[in-house]
Amino acid sequence: MLLNPWDLPPEAVPCTVDLGSAGKGRRKTMTFYRIPAMSQGPEARRDRDGRCYLAYMYNFYLFRWYKGDGAASIHHGHLGCRNSTRLAWDLPINEPWDPAVLERRGRQWARDHDTMHRNRR
């Protein structure tokens, strides 16, 4: 997909990669744009039953950690999404129920997960 640079968010950083020889002494390059992963939260919320949980989104992985639970559920979506998709993993957390803990652990899980799948290609 081709994008015009003026359509990109201001935090996009251009990166140029040398793809090797294009023949007749020319080099072939490609420019792509790195955009930092989006994040939202963490914030405290209540479900329909009144149970309190923390919600945090990083790179469209949505983490929900209910007070008193030893793991956060992982969804695909964002904080404003009512129909997020539950994913097959849980994030075990054996630390105090705290927004900073969820943010740190969720961010690390998402980065590790994406790196693992990127290296499989």
Side-chain angles (χ1 to χ4, degrees):
M1 176 161 97
L2 297 175
L3 296 172
N4 292 317
W6 50 86
D7 290 336
L8 296 170
E11 63 270 13
V13 176
C15 301
T16 301
V17 176
D18 185 356
L19 299 175
S21 175
K24 297 184 181 179
R26 295 178 301 162
R27 303 294 292 174
K28 186 172 183 176
T29 62
M30 177 192 302
T31 299
F32 65 96
Y33 294 83
R34 290 184 164 270
I35 300 171
M38 278 187 56
S39 66
Q40 295 175 320
E43 59 185 49
R45 295 182 161 201
R46 291 196 180 273
D47 65 12
R48 292 179 184 164
D49 298 326
R51 293 179 53 209
C52 192
Y53 67 94
L54 294 173
Y56 174 66
M57 187 275 297
Y58 182 79
N59 204 20
F60 295 99
Y61 292 106
L62 179 59
F63 302 90
R64 292 183 183 154
W65 187 20
Y66 280 87
K67 192 168 191 168
D69 284 357
S73 59
I74 304 173
H75 305 253
H76 189 268
H78 55 86
L79 289 185
C81 181
R82 292 190 180 265
N83 298 320
S84 62
T85 303
R86 176 74 163 92
L87 300 177
W89 307 282
D90 284 326
L91 173 61
I93 304 176
N94 297 318
E95 297 180 56
W97 191 74
D98 182 87
V101 170
L102 180 61
E103 181 177 3
R104 178 176 47 81
R105 296 291 306 278
R107 182 181 303 255
Q108 188 61 53
W109 183 92
R111 288 177 175 169
D112 292 347
H113 182 78
D114 287 347
T115 299
M116 177 181 65
H117 286 283
R118 190 176 315 117
N119 291 338
R120 285 186 176 174
R121 294 181 198 163

